[in-house]
Amino acid sequence: MISKWRLFLKELFEKLWFVALLYAGLAVLTNGAAMFIGPLLPDGLGEILGADSVEAVLTILASSMLSVVTFSLGIMVSAFAGAANAVTPRATALLKTDRTTQRVLATFLGSFLYSLIGIIALNAGVLTGNDRLVLFIGTILVVAIVVIAILRWIAHLTVFGLMSDSIDKVEAAAAHALNTRIAAPYLGGHGHSGPPPPDAHPITQAKIGYIRYVHMDWLQDAAEAMGCQIYLAALPGAFVYPGAIIAYVLGEQPEDAARISSAFKIGNTRSFEQDPRFGLAVLTEIAERALSPAINDPGTAIDVLGRAVRLLASLSEHRDPELKFTRIWVPALTLEEMMEDIFPAIARDGASFFSVQIRLQKALLALVQIAPAQFGKQALHQSEMALKRCHDSLLAHERAALAAVSAQISASAGPIRNRPL
C-alpha cells in the first residue's frame, strides 16, 4: 500500500509545473555554483574554451524552447480531445499522466526557465569569465537533455492519443490495480464478508463523491490509538455522500470520528490507483462507444474482450496475501462484480453483431478453461444472458454457432439446464 506522503509525492511528480520548477531550481544552483567554482579555475580558461558564447546559446535555447512548448501543448490538447471523442473521456486522465509526455514537456519548459534565469544572471553582471565557463558547461548538458527529449517526443507522437495507445494505457492501469489487489485482496487487512458485528459503531463523512483511495496505514494507527477494530463498509470506487456509512468501529464510540473518515480520500471522479473495477469499466465504455451506430467498430469491442480475458485470467494466480494491518477488516472484490462490469454491456450493445457475440462466448470459454472452478459459474451465467440478448438479432445458423460454444462452456463448468436460443 502507498502511504499518504508517497501518494502525495507521486501525484506531485505527475504535475508538469513541478518538474519544470526543478529545472528552474537547477538554473539557480548552476549560477550559484558558478560563483563559487569560477574563482578556483585558472585565469583566462573561460575565454580559451569559448565561454563567452554562453549568452548566445542561452538566448537561442530560450526562444526556441518557448515555441516548442507552445506547439507541444497544442498537440497534447488535441490528443486529449481526440481520445475523449474516439475512446472515452475517462481515458484522458491516463493521457494527462503519461510519463513520456510529462517528462518531455517539463524538459522543454524547464530548459526555457533555465535559459531565462541564466540570461538574467549574465546581464546582471553577476558572473565573471570563469563563472561563465561553469554556466556554459551546465548549458551544454541542458542542450544534450533537450536533444534527447526531442527525439523521444518525435517517437512518442507516432502513437500518442491513438485508439490503440489509449486502450493500452487503460489496460495497463487496470492490470496494475488488479495485480495490486490480487497481492493484497483485503488491502493488507483481514478478509471480511457479511454485515459488521451488531455492536459496531457506524462512521460517516460529509463529502459527496467517489472514494479514490483508502489510507490503510492511517486507519491502522487510528485503530491502535483508540484500541478498536475497524470494518470497512465502502471500498475505493464507491460513491459516498453525507450519511453514507464508510466504516464501522468495534469498540468504544470514537470521540474523533474525523480521524477515521480522513483516511478516505474523496474526489469528484474515480481513480485507477486502488480501484480495479474502474479500469474494467473504462474498457467496457470503449467497447460500448465502438459498438454505437455512429462509430460501428465491432473490431474494437472484440479487442476489448481479449484484453478482458487477459486481465481476469490473472485472478487465477494463487498468492498468499500479507497481513499488514491487523486491526482492519475489509470486504473483498468479487468475481461476479468484475464480470458484471464487462460482459453484460458488451453483450447488450453488440447484440446484432455476430462477430462480437461469438468472441464474447469464446472469451467466456477461455476463462472457464483457464480456471474452471473459479470462473465456471459466472462464465456460464454470462453466457446464458448473452444468448438471451442476441436471440432476436441474429440468424438461425449464427445462433446455432453461439449455442455450440455455450455448450462447451456448460460442459467445462458442469451440468446446467439447456436453454434454447
Side-chain angles (χ1 to χ4, degrees), residues 9 25 94 147 310:
L9 291 176
L94 295 174
V147 171
R310 185 158 50 241

Side-chain angles (χ1 to χ4, degrees), residues 304-421:
V304 168
L305 286 170
R307 295 171 187 268
V309 172
R310 185 158 50 241
L311 290 170
L312 293 176
S314 62
L315 296 172
S316 62
E317 301 175 6
H318 176 71
R319 303 183 190 180
D320 295 323
E322 179 184 1
L323 179 61
K324 297 176 60 178
F325 308 107
T326 57
R327 290 180 174 268
I328 306 176
W329 302 78
V330 183
L333 289 177
T334 66
L335 180 61
E336 178 183 4
E337 292 174 325
M338 287 185 276
M339 294 185 75
E340 284 289 329
D341 288 332
I342 300 172
F343 296 107
I346 298 178
R348 180 196 64 226
D349 292 349
S352 60
F353 294 93
F354 172 72
S355 59
V356 175
Q357 292 297 326
I358 193 68
R359 176 52 58 189
L360 188 148
Q361 294 291 339
K362 289 182 177 180
L364 294 171
L365 177 61
L367 290 173
V368 173
Q369 292 177 341
I370 290 171
Q374 189 168 12
F375 294 107
K377 180 181 178 181
Q378 293 304 322
L380 181 57
H381 172 71
Q382 295 297 336
S383 174
E384 293 177 334
M385 293 300 101
L387 290 177
K388 287 182 177 181
R389 291 181 185 276
C390 67
H391 181 272
D392 298 329
S393 303
L394 300 178
L395 300 176
H397 72 279
E398 293 174 335
R399 296 198 300 270
L402 295 176
V405 180
S406 181
Q408 295 181 56
I409 297 174
S410 174
S412 301
I416 61 168
R417 180 168 58 90
N418 291 328
R419 300 187 180 186
L421 287 175

Side-chain angles (χ1 to χ4, degrees), residues 88-155:
T88 171
R90 259 61 61 190
T92 57
L94 295 174
L95 293 180
K96 290 178 182 178
T97 57
D98 179 71
R99 299 305 298 271
T100 300
T101 303
Q102 286 186 333
R103 289 170 180 170
V104 167
L105 291 179
T107 299
F108 294 157
L109 182 57
S111 59
F112 167 74
L113 295 176
Y114 175 91
S115 305
L116 199 61
I117 293 174
I119 292 172
I120 293 173
L122 289 172
N123 287 282
V126 176
L127 303 179
T128 63
N130 283 344
D131 297 341
R132 289 170 175 255
L133 177 60
V134 178
L135 181 61
F136 182 68
I137 295 173
T139 302
I140 295 301
L141 293 176
V142 171
V143 170
I145 293 173
V146 168
V147 171
I148 295 173
I150 290 175
L151 295 177
R152 291 184 63 191
W153 187 228
I154 292 173

Side-chain angles (χ1 to χ4, degrees), residues 10-11 75 115 152 157 180 204-205 231 246 263 285 288 311 337 342 352 355 373 396 414:
K10 176 180 177 296
E11 293 178 346
I75 293 177
S115 305
R152 291 184 63 191
L157 285 180
T180 302
T204 61
Q205 54 82 51
Y231 289 76
I246 58 175
E285 280 187 29
E288 288 180 284
L311 290 170
E337 292 174 325
I342 300 172
S352 60
S355 59

